[in-house]
């Protein structure tokens, strides 16, 4: 079973159990029992379902595609290549230098 589905069903089960216990054992009105059950379910699931929540987070992170490249990695690669002598002779420019040059142009 998928981790997110198991996590969702576990949280709904905790909420339903808390609501049932509050309705049976207390003279509380249904709307207060629902609010309290939601809070109890939130707290219990936060403590009891930590491993399952971690598995859900990992499965979501695996599904997310990583960036093809970013400016910082390109700058670091250019800087290392320039130090090794494999890149053109011009020194790479950092983002901070680019922003400073744009401010000077305006």
């Amino acid at each position: 079973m998928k981790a997110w589905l198991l996590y969702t069903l576990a949280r709904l089960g905790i909420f339903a159990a808390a609501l049932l216990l509050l309705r049976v054992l207390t003279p509380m009105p249904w709307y207060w029992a629902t609010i309290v059950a939601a809070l109890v379910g939130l707290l219990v699931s936060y403590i009891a379902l930590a491993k399952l929540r971690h598995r859900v987070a990992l499965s979501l992170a695996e599904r997310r595609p990583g960036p093809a490249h970013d400016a910082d990695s390109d700058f670091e690669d250019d800087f290392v290549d320039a130090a090794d002598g494999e890149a053109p002779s011009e020194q790479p420019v950092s983002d901070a230098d680019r922003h400073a040059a744009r401010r000077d142009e305006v």
Side-chain angles (χ1 to χ4, degrees):
M1 185 178 286
K2 294 190 177 201
W4 65 268
L5 183 60
L6 184 62
Y7 181 70
T8 302
L9 292 175
R11 289 209 47 193
L12 284 173
I14 291 170
F15 168 74
L19 182 61
L20 181 67
L21 287 174
L22 286 171
R23 292 292 294 150
V24 169
L25 298 177
T26 64
M28 213 180 274
W30 66 269
Y31 51 88
W32 282 114
T34 304
I35 292 170
V36 172
L39 292 174
V40 168
L42 175 74
L43 294 173
V44 170
S45 66
Y46 184 76
I47 294 168
L49 303 177
K51 290 181 183 178
L52 191 54
R53 186 174 57 251
H54 182 68
R55 283 189 7 212
V56 170
L58 287 178
S59 70
L60 289 174
E62 290 171 359
R63 292 178 62 192
R64 182 177 182 210
H69 66 85
D70 60 0
D72 290 333
S73 297
D74 291 342
F75 173 72
E76 291 170 359
D77 292 342
D78 291 343
F79 190 77
V80 170
D81 290 343
D84 291 340
E86 298 172 5
S89 61
E90 62 194 42
Q91 190 69 11
V93 180
S94 70
D95 288 338
D97 294 337
R98 286 188 193 119
H99 292 300
R102 286 186 195 136
R103 279 192 301 254
D104 293 340
E105 289 174 3
V106 176

